[in-house]
Amino acid sequence: MSVATKYARIFSLGISEMLAWRFGYFVMALGSAINLLVLFIFWTAVYQDGNQIGSYSLEQLLIYYAFSITLQILMDYSFVWGVSEALHQGNLSQYLIRPISYINFLFVKEFGVRVATIASFAVPLAGVVIYFHDRLPNSLLAWILFAATTVFGFIVVSLFGILFAMTTVWFQNPHIAGSLFFTTSFLLSGRLVPIDLMPAWLASIARWSPFPFVTGMPLEFVLGNRAGFSIQELLIGLVWFVVLLFSAQRAWKWAVIKYEAGGA
Amino acid sequence: MKQAAHKILHMWRVFVAIFRMSIMMHLTTPLGGVMKFASVFVDMLIYVVFAKIIFSYIPAVGGFSNDQLYMIVGTSMLIEWISWFTFRAGTAQTPDKIQSGKIESVFIRPLPAPFLAFFTRMDIEDVTRAVTGLMLIVPHAAAIASPTALHVALYAIALLGSSAIYYALLASISPLAFFFGKLDGLWAVVNDINNMGRYPFTIFTRKVRWIFFTILPTAFLGSVPTLILTTNDHWQWLALTFAVAGIGIWISVLIWNWAASHYSGASG
């Protein structure tokens, strides 16, 4: 079996896994739509009462949060629990004897899961795109940059996820480090509020972290508030990528050694 | 009557035993415990930052003043804390127990099965939610008008009623795992529902509002207790809270009994 075929099968495995529980899948799609609807109602009410949030128009905020939910679905970290549980329960052994990298296996399978999940939000998202089509960027470059930043964000999230999942070996609890990471990411990524609305000190911390690549930066392309990247932003992204890749690989190796010692 | 009192006392003892075990579990990994507290603290910081940023631009929305908006967020944090301290972890774990067959142990014990299924773990670290919630509520309640002792007492009672409503909602959803197995998607919806409690119910149209007072009673998870604390219509809101809580719990018991009667083993 070629490498491409192998990973294509793992990718489809991720999709199948997601669709196995159809009721849950349907409810998840419904929940995302309800979440979006409530946000729309809330922000419409805020602007109807004569309020304005920063320099954002109502349409911009609605687009921001609609796409933010999309990215939230795509960048979901729940696979960390699966890895942590595998480490905690001792289910990792089966992966150690297979002729495939566990990290690569996870990454590709998770990508399949995310693609299937994003499809559940396709209808509400299509509604938003059709309704606000004249407010969205016309340039192909903006969408390419949006997609590229999103993919990079996904890589960042996955590397962080793997790194934190490995801490299970030391903390003896699969949920501790992951929870702390989720909440920090939520705060600094711009998922909560656009980064330029944050207090200066918090925005400054966010800009030096890799988290804006996960939500804030891609959405700035969608809103037309960004044309490209500064050298500083590219450098920050590159440094974080190298550090995370190195750390995730080291943590994996250490975790395997520790895991084996624990099982002896 | 005596038998009922004996059963309640028995349930209370079980509850206290779970509380002790939860504390001991935290003490077994002190570093883990510290990190759990840190995680909840950052989680709360998120909502405070959100509230501070957004509400700094909003003097009022849907008839609720800026101070009341902060209090709604604080109130929802307090209810979250009560839920995590009592039933939330248990209701979330029940679907897995149903799938694996571990749920069977609750059917053979001399206490109500929903109680044994849902009150299994207390997340001590979530006290951080209560502290943060109070830090939001107290200054803003004082800014509106110093609430009387009666307001505060009724508010505390309302929090219990609202928590009972939240329990009824989760306890009605959780047994669906007897039919559908995994409920992951549904828990995401439950979180979304809970988040809706952070918006004033008056921003919704009358028809939608009706839903938020009955089928998905999110109005009671933030707005209604805030109104009890800040207005003089407290008695009617309190009566409504407990009426909905009573009906909700009754329905949740019916759903549990009906769903559990269809259980025929982990593979069935």
Side-chain angles (χ1 to χ4, degrees):
Chain A
M1 191 189 290
S2 72
V3 175
T5 314
K6 188 163 66 179
Y7 282 109
R9 287 208 179 158
I10 297 168
F11 177 76
S12 64
L13 190 73
I15 294 177
S16 311
E17 191 179 285
M18 199 61 214
L19 297 176
W21 300 95
R22 288 180 186 81
F23 173 74
Y25 186 74
F26 168 74
V27 171
M28 186 175 61
L30 188 70
S32 304
I34 292 172
N35 196 7
L36 182 65
L37 188 66
V38 170
L39 275 173
F40 272 37
I41 292 170
F42 175 71
W43 289 116
T44 306
V46 167
Y47 276 72
Q48 267 176 357
D49 282 7
N51 305 304
Q52 170 140 0
I53 309 297
S55 58
Y56 286 81
S57 67
L58 174 62
E59 289 79 9
Q60 280 182 311
L61 268 187
L62 295 183
I63 292 168
Y64 187 92
Y65 283 108
F67 277 84
S68 171
I69 291 175
T70 312
L71 293 181
Q72 185 182 332
I73 294 169
L74 189 65
M75 311 286 186
D76 186 88
Y77 310 89
S78 53
F79 77 99
V80 172
W81 306 139
V83 183
S84 297
E85 288 289 345
L87 276 164
H88 190 59
Q89 304 286 336
N91 297 332
L92 195 65
S93 312
Q94 53 176 317
Y95 296 103
L96 298 177
I97 54 167
R98 290 180 185 177
I100 187 171
S101 152
Y102 179 57
I103 303 283
N104 292 351
F105 171 83
L106 271 183
F107 187 80
V108 176
K109 189 169 141 245
E110 187 57 27
F111 194 58
V113 168
R114 293 297 116 214
V115 168
T117 313
I118 211 89
S120 73
F121 192 59
V123 173
L125 184 65
V128 170
V129 170
I130 292 166
Y131 190 76
F132 291 114
H133 69 279
D134 53 339
R135 298 270 180 179
L136 296 171
N138 292 320
S139 123
L140 181 64
L141 180 67
W143 288 108
I144 290 171
L145 287 170
F146 165 73
T149 320
T150 303
V151 169
F152 184 73
F154 180 78
I155 293 169
V156 165
V157 161
S158 301
L159 289 174
F160 258 123
I162 290 163
L163 186 61
F164 277 89
M166 294 308 142
T167 62
T168 304
V169 175
W170 289 277
F171 291 128
Q172 303 295 317
N173 185 322
H175 297 114
I176 294 172
S179 299
L180 188 58
F181 164 61
F182 291 167
T183 44
T184 309
S185 158
F186 195 85
L187 181 66
L188 298 177
S189 66
R191 193 184 288 179
L192 191 67
V193 287
I195 292 168
D196 55 347
L197 288 181
M198 289 179 184
W201 63 271
L202 190 60
S204 177
I205 294 172
R207 288 201 180 94
W208 284 96
S209 79
F211 297 115
F213 288 100
V214 176
T215 307
M217 279 188 192
L219 294 183
E220 284 171 13
F221 286 114
V222 175
L223 293 182
N225 294 346
R226 173 181 281 274
F229 298 100
S230 68
I231 305 241
Q232 185 191 337
E233 286 166 345
L234 287 174
L235 276 174
I236 290 172
L238 185 67
V239 168
W240 273 108
F241 173 70
V242 172
V243 169
L244 285 172
L245 189 64
F246 177 77
S247 308
Q249 283 176 337
R250 293 302 303 174
W252 166 244
K253 283 177 184 167
W254 285 333
V256 169
I257 293 166
K258 179 87 174 166
Y259 173 80
E260 285 174 342
Chain B
M1 190 71 182
K2 194 178 171 185
Q3 206 172 10
H6 182 73
K7 197 171 247 184
I8 290 169
L9 188 66
H10 193 171
M11 286 160 72
W12 171 251
R13 283 180 185 148
V14 171
F15 188 76
V16 172
I18 294 167
F19 176 60
R20 282 186 189 147
M21 280 191 283
S22 299
I23 289 177
M24 282 191 282
M25 267 175 60
H26 274 68
L27 293 176
T28 51
T29 50
L31 177 62
V34 170
M35 288 192 70
K36 277 184 187 173
F37 273 96
S39 170
V40 179
F41 175 74
V42 176
D43 194 21
M44 291 300 95
L45 185 68
I46 285 171
Y47 288 105
V48 173
V49 168
F50 178 77
K52 290 276 178 199
I53 294 169
I54 299 301
F55 295 163
S56 67
Y57 295 100
I58 308 174
V61 65
F64 279 75
S65 70
N66 184 279
D67 288 310
Q68 283 176 311
L69 292 177
Y70 277 106
M71 290 165 70
I72 290 176
V73 175
T75 300
S76 72
M77 286 177 179
L78 285 179
I79 294 169
E80 278 270 294
W81 165 63
I82 296 171
S83 75
W84 282 111
F85 195 68
T86 48
F87 56 83
R88 185 79 180 266
T91 47
Q93 287 170 342
T94 297
D96 284 339
K97 287 183 188 165
I98 291 170
Q99 268 191 301
S100 61
K102 287 177 186 165
I103 197 73
E104 286 162 15
S105 64
V106 307
F107 296 127
I108 53 167
R109 291 182 186 171
L111 282 176
F115 171 78
L116 291 171
F118 300 140
F119 290 78
T120 54
R121 197 183 85 197
M122 294 168 191
D123 289 345
I124 311 292
E125 69 273 13
D126 281 280
V127 72
T128 317
R129 293 178 195 275
V131 174
T132 320
L134 284 173
M135 282 167 66
L136 278 181
I137 293 166
V138 172
H140 291 284
I144 292 174
S146 295
T148 62
L150 178 69
H151 278 98
V152 175
L154 294 180
Y155 175 73
I157 296 167
L159 286 180
L160 295 179
S162 296
S163 303
I165 291 172
Y166 195 29
Y167 165 78
L169 183 67
L170 298 190
S172 301
I173 290 171
S174 203
L176 296 179
F178 281 112
F179 302 104
F180 301 112
K182 241 179 168 179
L183 294 179
D184 288 2
L186 208 51
W187 289 124
V189 176
V190 168
N191 280 333
D192 292 340
I193 289 168
N194 186 46
N195 288 339
M196 286 175 207
R198 295 193 170 117
Y199 303 111
F201 65 82
T202 45
I203 64 170
F204 301 103
T205 61
R206 282 190 177 275
K207 280 181 188 167
V208 177
R209 222 180 282 178
W210 184 84
I211 293 172
F212 289 155
F213 273 93
T214 51
I215 304 164
L216 300 173
T218 58
F220 296 95
L221 304 183
S223 302
V224 169
T226 301
L227 286 173
I228 289 172
L229 185 62
T230 57
T231 68
N232 287 323
D233 299 330
H234 36 240
W235 290 112
Q236 66 196 57
W237 285 121
L238 196 65
L240 186 63
T241 302
F242 277 90
V244 172
I247 294 167
I249 288 173
W250 177 64
I251 291 172
S252 76
V253 172
L254 287 182
I255 291 175
W256 173 273
N257 289 339
W258 173 65
S261 69
H262 287 77
Y263 179 72
S264 56
S267 60

